[in-house]
Amino acid sequence: MPPRRLWTEVLAGLVVALALIPEVISFSVIAGVEPAVGLFASFTTAVVISVVGGRPAMISAAAGAVALVIAPLNREHGLGYLIAAVILGGVIQIVLGALGVARLMRFVPRAVMVGFVNALAVLIFLAQVPEMRDVPWAVHPLILGGLALMVLFPKVTTAVPAPLVSIVVLTLITVGAGLAVPTVGDRGALPASLPTPGLPDVPFTLDTLTLIAPYAFALALVGLMESLLTAQLVDDLTDTRSDKRRESVGQGVANVVTGFFGGLGGCAMIGQTMVNVKTAGARTRLSTFLAGVFLLLLCLTLGPAVSAIPMAALVAVMVMVSLTTFDWRSITPATLRRMPLGETGVMAVTVVCVVATHNLAVGVIAGCLAALGVFARRVAGRAELAVSRAEDGSAVRYAVTGDLFFASANGLADRFDYAGDPDRVVVDLGGARLWDASAVAVLDAIAAKYAQRGKHAEVSGLTGPGAELHTRLSERG
């Protein structure tokens, strides 16, 4: 590795480690566990995923989405059951990854991805708002100063990441001037010893498995969805490809290892990944590995110094991340005029659902469903019907063109003149494509309505898969 690249990866890992500490502590509070549980989980997850994951430079650690999913389990049954759910969730992720669940990513439309990115940026910014309310007056100029440093410092040199410079300078100003502002240490005590492996303190019974299984399955799905979407985002940013199958299995392995070390479950951290890839310029697994190592070293050896970092410095970093993550081009008037209304609507649905629920998985699912509705409506209107009659009036031919499936075929039956047509009716599907059982059922219904009047309706023109589907499913085939 060239020295300049090595330097970039090392400094990126350090910046990410500093950015992880307060956020992971916050997620630990959400899950109802000690800060050390979340911090140790971030160390083990980052180190393991740097080796077994499928997306270089992506940061995985104890994440808010996972904390929200398993918080009720910890609150009602205790830490042992939470850890057991993390291990089981990891096993489920390994199984899903091996089965190729990552292939489902191809069904996520671009409008949903844009909405996902924009919603992420909004959530990152909203998460910083509480740090700007009811705080000493000095916090606001510190945040503005940190933002100014990150904008201006790269014009001087890019050898050192601007976020790291901002954190160091604001910390020195705060300590040197004796400013009474919120610090990292105010979020909770940092760990003072290494984690040790062990089994969760739960009875190994069927009742325990039944209790933790729903939480483990939810953890597995949410973790995989966020990780795969983040991997796709990094693919686009770096113009490289990742191994989604390996990433899915790797996330599971990381959670299993983390669980055996008594840690909170984790997945890809989108905000910190943006810090690593977009802000600090990292591109290799080394930055992910070092982020975990530096996190542990900072907590164990430099606890007092890390505790003195003002929250304003980290808020400034995350605000800059939110501003650079948001796809501003997607909301410019020129783009909105050019983009189909349905695509813009799908993006808006994704953003609104994510921001309203603070759950990226919910927003992505809602966006995909909205995109499916838009697609179905658009394709449904492509089924056309042309009528031609024999000169002697003995037969009528209905030529159907377009895609026939549940959305387009249901209205087709109402466009035939059952009473006025002659005894022989030909439904010509040579220009149509038959997609599902609903379309076959509609064709059967048309034939049945003619038969009730003593008339014969003949379906013709089908070839290939459409003909096979009709032969297999048609009651009259």
Side-chain angles (χ1 to χ4, degrees), residues 7 37 59 73 75 104 135 145 154 163 172-173 182 205 211 262 267 313 342 345 361 383 401 409 412 459 466 473:
W7 178 249
V37 175
I59 303 298
L73 181 62
R75 185 168 56 248
L104 295 176
V135 292
L172 292 175
I173 291 174
T205 63
L211 175 64
C267 66
T401 56
L412 189 66
V459 175
L473 299 181

Side-chain angles (χ1 to χ4, degrees), residues 1 17 23 79 85 100 160 168 204 214 230 244 246 268 315 330 332-333 371 403 424 459:
M1 183 181 294
E23 195 159 352
L79 181 61
V160 181
V168 171
F204 292 89
T230 304
K244 305 295 192 305
R246 177 177 173 181
V315 168
S330 67
T332 60
D403 298 286
R424 184 169 180 270
V459 175

Side-chain angles (χ1 to χ4, degrees), residues 155-335:
K155 300 180 185 300
V156 178
T157 179
T158 57
V160 181
L164 180 59
V165 174
S166 178
I167 292 170
V168 171
V169 170
L170 294 189
T171 302
L172 292 175
I173 291 174
T174 301
V175 174
L179 299 177
V181 295
T183 63
V184 170
D186 296 332
R187 289 298 185 91
L190 300 180
S193 60
L194 290 170
T196 54
L199 295 175
D201 184 17
V202 296
F204 292 89
T205 63
L206 183 60
D207 289 339
T208 299
L209 180 62
T210 303
L211 175 64
I212 67 173
Y215 296 95
F217 193 68
L219 179 153
L221 290 182
V222 169
L224 282 181
M225 184 175 293
E226 294 217 20
S227 298
L228 292 175
L229 286 170
T230 304
Q232 184 62 49
L233 181 59
V234 178
D235 288 355
D236 294 340
L237 285 174
T238 59
D239 197 24
T240 57
R241 294 184 63 184
S242 58
D243 187 338
K244 305 295 192 305
R245 186 188 187 102
R246 177 177 173 181
E247 182 61 35
S248 302
V249 174
Q251 289 289 335
V253 173
N255 274 320
V256 170
V257 173
T258 295
F260 281 122
F261 275 91
L264 184 66
C267 66
M269 296 278 285
I270 308 171
Q272 276 67 26
T273 297
M274 290 299 99
V275 171
N276 195 46
V277 175
K278 197 167 186 179
T279 307
R283 292 293 183 271
T284 73
R285 298 176 183 274
L286 181 61
S287 60
T288 306
F289 177 81
L290 290 178
V293 172
F294 282 143
L295 176 65
L296 188 64
L297 291 177
L298 288 170
C299 293
L300 296 180
T301 63
L302 298 174
V306 173
S307 297
I309 295 174
M311 285 302 301
L314 300 175
V315 168
V317 171
M318 298 313 293
V319 168
M320 180 60 70
V321 168
S322 71
L323 293 175
T324 56
T325 298
F326 195 93
D327 186 352
W328 297 101
R329 189 177 61 178
S330 67
I331 60 171
T332 60
T335 300

